[in-house]
Amino acid sequence: MRQAGRYLPEYRKIRAKVDFLTLCKSPELAAEVTIQPVDILGVDAAILFSDILIPIEKMGLKLRFYEKKGPKFSNPIRTQKDADKLKIINPKEDVPYVLETIRILRKALNVPLIGFSGAPFTAATYMIEGGSSKNFLKTKQIIYNDPLLFTSLMGKITQTTIDYLCAQIEAGAQAVQLFDSWAGALSPSDYEVAAFPYAKKVIEALRPLGVPIIYFVNDCPGVLSIAAGSGADVIGVDWRVDMAEAVRKVGQTITVQGNLDPCVLFSSKNYIKDMALDVIEKGKGARAHIFNLGHGVLPETPPENVKTLVKVVHEAY
Ligand code: CP3
């Protein structure tokens, strides 16, 4: 999950000097903010500091991040002509800074490094909507009304995702996570057609590279049993499903990751402990369980409470 970021004063100090995209594209600085939560919190793995929108920009979209409003693409994809103009990225040429960040991190870190990408459906929502969205109406309209456009767009995104993650693994990422942050906005039958096959294709292509693959599906309850068939080693789940039920749904052949509600970090030490132990207890039914939040750390979170959580989890295992 997102574990670096604005809740850490150490991160804000660096961000005061550079904008977010510059930070993602500056290997020394990106490596520094990747390491911050490892040093400060004592977490057991580092997640590369970057953003799922970085490779999308290089496919041919104009990206800007606005304070508070988040990311915006000024030329969203709405027609076949728009999709035809997109290119499949060449990671070494198009995003060398991401690969360089990974190489720096592998020398500096003494915990495993997780690389990541958006899953194809989630990437498509940003490309079609032009930013974050509530109902994903434009994306769904294309799925329903122009399946040829949707499949040609998804083909390009899927190939970019495969090449991008292969390059991250080659540069040194020791596990990779696919973020399907908006797949839960789909009905289960739409998920099965419009999101799942593309995530599965990425996972199948990465399989020969031999690193663990984590597939995170946000807002997962309706689609969890389908996602479990993706071929991923680990299914990451958000907090909207009880961990015991998640374990029942994914079965005994897959590891689960998650799923404490990030808002619990705004409660007392005792409450944090009780809720974390509940997740840990329920995760014991799975093949294996990677303790995590059910989504990223929220910007206003008190860092002390994240430290408390890490301590509680370490003591419980
Ligand atoms: O924790 C880490 O070190 C990992 C870094 C990371 C970021 N984004 C940094 C970031 C990761 C793994 C992501 C993934 C990402 N980006 C996702 C998938 C994960 C999820 O949360 O579901 C998504 C949907 C995005 C797109 C994105 N990036 C949005 C919608 C926003 C704006 C929202 C916000 O919080 O402002 C971002 C910005 C972003 N990405 C920030 C960080 C630290 C905040 C930027 C800042 O410093 O101002």
PDB file of all heavy atoms in Angstrom, residues 17 82 86 121 148 257 265 280 282 316:
ATOM      1  N   LYS A  17      10.121  21.429  -1.542  1.00  0.00           N
ATOM      2  CA  LYS A  17      11.121  21.914  -2.496  1.00  0.00           C
ATOM      3  C   LYS A  17      10.816  21.525  -3.938  1.00  0.00           C
ATOM      4  O   LYS A  17      11.214  22.204  -4.862  1.00  0.00           O
ATOM      5  CB  LYS A  17      12.514  21.363  -2.111  1.00  0.00           C
ATOM      6  CG  LYS A  17      13.079  22.020  -0.866  1.00  0.00           C
ATOM      7  CD  LYS A  17      14.467  21.497  -0.556  1.00  0.00           C
ATOM      8  CE  LYS A  17      14.478  20.740   0.751  1.00  0.00           C
ATOM      9  NZ  LYS A  17      15.520  19.787   0.934  1.00  0.00           N
ATOM     10  N   ASP A  82      -8.223   8.770 -30.747  1.00  0.00           N
ATOM     11  CA  ASP A  82      -7.414   9.058 -29.545  1.00  0.00           C
ATOM     12  C   ASP A  82      -6.588   7.830 -29.171  1.00  0.00           C
ATOM     13  O   ASP A  82      -5.397   7.934 -28.870  1.00  0.00           O
ATOM     14  CB  ASP A  82      -8.306   9.393 -28.328  1.00  0.00           C
ATOM     15  CG  ASP A  82      -9.149  10.640 -28.512  1.00  0.00           C
ATOM     16  OD1 ASP A  82      -8.737  11.521 -29.287  1.00  0.00           O
ATOM     17  OD2 ASP A  82     -10.217  10.718 -27.867  1.00  0.00           O
ATOM     18  N   LEU A  86      -1.979   6.466 -29.116  1.00  0.00           N
ATOM     19  CA  LEU A  86      -1.208   6.045 -27.934  1.00  0.00           C
ATOM     20  C   LEU A  86      -0.099   5.080 -28.307  1.00  0.00           C
ATOM     21  O   LEU A  86      -0.252   4.260 -29.211  1.00  0.00           O
ATOM     22  CB  LEU A  86      -2.139   5.360 -26.926  1.00  0.00           C
ATOM     23  CG  LEU A  86      -3.213   6.237 -26.305  1.00  0.00           C
ATOM     24  CD1 LEU A  86      -4.184   5.367 -25.518  1.00  0.00           C
ATOM     25  CD2 LEU A  86      -2.585   7.298 -25.416  1.00  0.00           C
ATOM     26  N   PHE A 121      -7.352  -2.054 -15.994  1.00  0.00           N
ATOM     27  CA  PHE A 121      -8.651  -1.368 -15.908  1.00  0.00           C
ATOM     28  C   PHE A 121      -8.528  -0.032 -15.178  1.00  0.00           C
ATOM     29  O   PHE A 121      -9.057   0.988 -15.612  1.00  0.00           O
ATOM     30  CB  PHE A 121      -9.720  -2.248 -15.226  1.00  0.00           C
ATOM     31  CG  PHE A 121     -10.999  -1.481 -15.016  1.00  0.00           C
ATOM     32  CD1 PHE A 121     -11.846  -1.211 -16.082  1.00  0.00           C
ATOM     33  CD2 PHE A 121     -11.323  -0.958 -13.765  1.00  0.00           C
ATOM     34  CE1 PHE A 121     -13.000  -0.447 -15.905  1.00  0.00           C
ATOM     35  CE2 PHE A 121     -12.477  -0.197 -13.582  1.00  0.00           C
ATOM     36  CZ  PHE A 121     -13.314   0.063 -14.655  1.00  0.00           C
ATOM     37  N   LEU A 148     -15.089  -2.289 -29.229  1.00  0.00           N
ATOM     38  CA  LEU A 148     -13.862  -2.364 -30.042  1.00  0.00           C
ATOM     39  C   LEU A 148     -12.839  -1.341 -29.566  1.00  0.00           C
ATOM     40  O   LEU A 148     -11.649  -1.646 -29.451  1.00  0.00           O
ATOM     41  CB  LEU A 148     -14.181  -2.131 -31.522  1.00  0.00           C
ATOM     42  CG  LEU A 148     -14.762  -3.327 -32.266  1.00  0.00           C
ATOM     43  CD1 LEU A 148     -14.995  -2.961 -33.727  1.00  0.00           C
ATOM     44  CD2 LEU A 148     -13.842  -4.551 -32.159  1.00  0.00           C
ATOM     45  N   GLN A 257      -3.493 -10.401   1.666  1.00  0.00           N
ATOM     46  CA  GLN A 257      -2.805  -9.215   2.187  1.00  0.00           C
ATOM     47  C   GLN A 257      -3.849  -8.183   2.603  1.00  0.00           C
ATOM     48  O   GLN A 257      -4.810  -7.952   1.891  1.00  0.00           O
ATOM     49  CB  GLN A 257      -1.897  -8.626   1.103  1.00  0.00           C
ATOM     50  CG  GLN A 257      -1.216  -7.331   1.517  1.00  0.00           C
ATOM     51  CD  GLN A 257      -0.352  -6.776   0.397  1.00  0.00           C
ATOM     52  OE1 GLN A 257       0.715  -7.307   0.134  1.00  0.00           O
ATOM     53  NE2 GLN A 257      -0.814  -5.737  -0.267  1.00  0.00           N
ATOM     54  N   LEU A 265      -6.319   4.140  12.211  1.00  0.00           N
ATOM     55  CA  LEU A 265      -5.112   4.823  12.688  1.00  0.00           C
ATOM     56  C   LEU A 265      -5.422   6.192  13.298  1.00  0.00           C
ATOM     57  O   LEU A 265      -4.521   6.891  13.752  1.00  0.00           O
ATOM     58  CB  LEU A 265      -4.093   4.951  11.548  1.00  0.00           C
ATOM     59  CG  LEU A 265      -3.505   3.612  11.088  1.00  0.00           C
ATOM     60  CD1 LEU A 265      -2.642   3.794   9.858  1.00  0.00           C
ATOM     61  CD2 LEU A 265      -2.684   2.975  12.213  1.00  0.00           C
ATOM     62  N   ILE A 280      -5.352 -10.073  12.249  1.00  0.00           N
ATOM     63  CA  ILE A 280      -4.317 -11.119  12.307  1.00  0.00           C
ATOM     64  C   ILE A 280      -4.947 -12.476  12.614  1.00  0.00           C
ATOM     65  O   ILE A 280      -4.628 -13.488  11.966  1.00  0.00           O
ATOM     66  CB  ILE A 280      -3.238 -10.753  13.359  1.00  0.00           C
ATOM     67  CG1 ILE A 280      -2.411  -9.569  12.846  1.00  0.00           C
ATOM     68  CG2 ILE A 280      -2.335 -11.953  13.682  1.00  0.00           C
ATOM     69  CD1 ILE A 280      -1.476  -8.961  13.876  1.00  0.00           C
ATOM     70  N   LYS A 282      -7.993 -13.502  12.067  1.00  0.00           N
ATOM     71  CA  LYS A 282      -8.797 -13.984  10.927  1.00  0.00           C
ATOM     72  C   LYS A 282      -7.913 -14.410   9.759  1.00  0.00           C
ATOM     73  O   LYS A 282      -8.247 -15.335   9.019  1.00  0.00           O
ATOM     74  CB  LYS A 282      -9.792 -12.912  10.502  1.00  0.00           C
ATOM     75  CG  LYS A 282     -10.901 -12.776  11.532  1.00  0.00           C
ATOM     76  CD  LYS A 282     -11.786 -11.585  11.299  1.00  0.00           C
ATOM     77  CE  LYS A 282     -12.922 -11.616  12.327  1.00  0.00           C
ATOM     78  NZ  LYS A 282     -13.603 -10.322  12.439  1.00  0.00           N
ATOM     79  N   ALA A 316       2.819  -9.569  17.550  1.00  0.00           N
ATOM     80  CA  ALA A 316       1.797 -10.629  17.425  1.00  0.00           C
ATOM     81  C   ALA A 316       2.310 -11.853  16.670  1.00  0.00           C
ATOM     82  O   ALA A 316       1.740 -12.929  16.800  1.00  0.00           O
ATOM     83  CB  ALA A 316       0.568 -10.059  16.719  1.00  0.00           C
TER      84      ALA A 316
END
